[in-house]
Structure formats: C-alpha cells, structure tokens
C-alpha cells in the first residue's frame, strides 16, 4: 500500500529545515548507492552520520512518532535517521529498488531489515518542474509530487525513481524503517481495521457503510491468510 500522509511537518519546521541546510552539507549521492543503483543516481545528499543535520533528524523523528497515522500505517520498530536529498536542474534518480538491509556501519544504528521507505517533501511543488517520485507497483505507475510537509510511505520492494528536475531545485528527505509487522499483507489488514474503527466512531455520512465494506475486505483477506485446504 502506498499511503500519503499530509502535514507531517508544520510550516515552522519546514522553515527551520530550509534555514539550517547549507550547500556544504550536501555530498554526491553516489557515495551511498550500492551496485546497480550507483549507475542511475545523480543527486546530492546529506551525510546521515554528520553533526550538521542531527538536530533536524531528531525533529523529524519526533514529528513522525507524534503522527498517529504514520504510526498506524508503518508500526515502526526502528526508523533510520533521515537523509536530505537535493536535486538541482538535470539531476535524477533512475529506477531502483532500495536495499533490504541498512545501517550497522560505525556511527550508525544497528542494521535494520528495511520493510518500508518514505519520502517527506520539503520544497513546494510549484518551485520546481520534474522531480516526480514514481513508484511502480503491479498495478501501474504512481506519481507523487506532494506539498511541503507531506509524506508518502510504501513497501520497499517496489521499483521507484525520481524523474529529472527541469527547473528549480527539489529538496526532500527520505528514510527507511523496520516495521513491527514484517508482512505487508498483515500491515494492510491492521490498517483497514484501524480505518474501519475510526469510521464507526465518526458521525460522517456513509461512515457505517464504508466501515462495513472495509470489514468485509478484512474478513476475506484474513480467510486467504488463515484457511488451509
Ligand atoms: Ni530509493
């Protein structure tokens, strides 16, 4: 499931990020791309271990953990420190799949199994052209260019790319997490149940019908998970 979560950061937090990041904080993105990814990557990124962005990393971690939607969708066990990515005109990151295991180097958190990836958009979408995040699932291509402070989180097993920036600059931050619920199908069941329960607690029109539909979906998906024949 690809889930968009609005307003993960406040306007003040976005201002703080823009004010704190300096050109000298950014390194060649190819330094951290392994194998095939290095040949398709042309961007700039901050050093996750560097002191320059430590405070911003902690601020974003706190913003993620106070966001009940993010916590429900991802059930995060460990979130790796975020990295800021900058794409200037002509920069891009071609099709790739993120690593399955990350971290564990000296000065980094223990190695985590990467279950989900996320991108948190910092630049306003009208400040650059191109720079779309395109995620390729079995159900087609999904394109994201979200307002500043919005986030998209998705299972890490998908191919994805950032298309070339043709005007302006695109600043975003990315990271990866290990979920307490390893299996994406099971995470989806839990999320459906959370949404159905919220719908039942609300007085919104059609909420009961929507919840009934979701509970029907949950029952069928649990049957597929549990029934042997
Ligand atoms: Ni990636």
């Amino acid at each position: 499931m690809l889930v968009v979560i609005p307003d993960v950061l406040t306007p003040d937090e976005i201002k703080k990020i823009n004010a704190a990041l300096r050109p000298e904080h950014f390194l060649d993105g190819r330094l951290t791309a392994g194998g095939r990814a290095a040949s398709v990557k042309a961007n700039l990124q901050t050093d996750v271990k560097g002191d320059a962005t430590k405070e911003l990393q902690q601020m974003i971690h706190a913003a993620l953990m106070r966001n009940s939607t993010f916590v429900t969708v991802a059930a995060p066990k460990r979130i790796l420190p975020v990295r800021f990515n900058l794409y200037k005109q002509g920069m891009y990151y071609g099709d790739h799949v993120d690593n399955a295991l990350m971290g564990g180097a000296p000065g980094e958190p223990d190695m985590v199994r990467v279950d989900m990836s996320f991108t948190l958009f910092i630049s306003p979408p009208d400040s650059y052209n191109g720079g779309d995040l395109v995620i390729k699932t079995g159900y087609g291509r999904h394109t994201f260019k979200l307002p500043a402070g919005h986030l998209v989180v998705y299972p890490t097993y998908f191919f994805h790319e950032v298309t070339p920036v043709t005007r302006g600059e695109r600043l975003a931050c990315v990271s990866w997490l290990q979920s307490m619920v390893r299996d994406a199908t099971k995470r989806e069941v839990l999320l459906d149940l959370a949404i159905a329960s919220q719908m039942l607690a609300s007085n919104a029109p059609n909420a009961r019908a929507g919840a009934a539909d979701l509970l029907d979906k949950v029952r069928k998906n649990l049957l597929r998970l549990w029934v042997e024949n």
Side-chain angles (χ1 to χ4, degrees), residues 1 37 61 69 73-74 76 80-81 86 121 128 131-133 139 157-159 164-165 182-184 192 197 207 225:
M1 264 174 107
H61 190 269
T69 307
V73 169
L80 289 169
L86 181 65
F121 290 77
Y128 60 98
D132 295 339
L133 171 65
Y139 308 98
Y157 47 63
F158 293 129
F159 271 106
V165 168
R182 179 179 190 161
D183 188 303
D192 287 341
S197 137
L225 277 175

Side-chain angles (χ1 to χ4, degrees), residues 181-191 222 225-226:
V181 185
R182 179 179 190 161
D183 188 303
T185 313
K186 292 177 182 169
R187 285 199 301 270
E188 185 167 336
V189 166
L190 290 171
L191 179 59
L222 286 179
L225 277 175
W226 290 342

Side-chain angles (χ1 to χ4, degrees), residues 53-171:
T53 56
K54 201 142 271 168
E55 209 178 301
L56 300 179
Q57 286 172 325
Q58 285 163 358
M59 181 184 82
I60 291 171
H61 190 269
L64 294 168
M65 294 311 291
R66 75 175 177 235
N67 189 296
S68 59
T69 307
F70 180 79
V71 172
T72 302
V73 169
K77 181 173 184 186
R78 280 188 290 178
I79 305 173
L80 289 169
V82 298
R83 156 176 292 152
F84 294 91
N85 281 342
L86 181 65
Y87 293 77
K88 295 185 176 189
Q89 206 171 319
M91 292 185 173
Y92 60 91
Y93 195 168
D95 249 354
H96 66 282
V97 178
D98 294 340
N99 286 337
L101 303 172
M102 290 192 203
E108 285 187 356
D110 288 346
M111 187 169 271
V112 305
R113 183 192 67 236
V114 177
D115 297 317
M116 302 188 90
S117 305
F118 63 84
T119 295
L120 177 52
F121 290 77
I122 309 291
S123 297
D126 59 2
S127 69
Y128 60 98
N129 288 353
D132 295 339
L133 171 65
V134 182
I135 302 170
K136 287 143 204 184
T137 73
Y139 308 98
R141 294 160 55 90
H142 303 264
T143 299
F144 299 91
K145 187 172 191 173
L146 301 176
H150 286 31
L151 171 147
V152 59
V153 58
Y154 55 97
T156 299
Y157 47 63
F158 293 129
F159 271 106
H160 56 281
E161 67 171 318
V162 176
T163 63
V165 168
T166 57
R167 177 187 66 88
E169 289 186 357
R170 173 201 194 264
L171 177 66

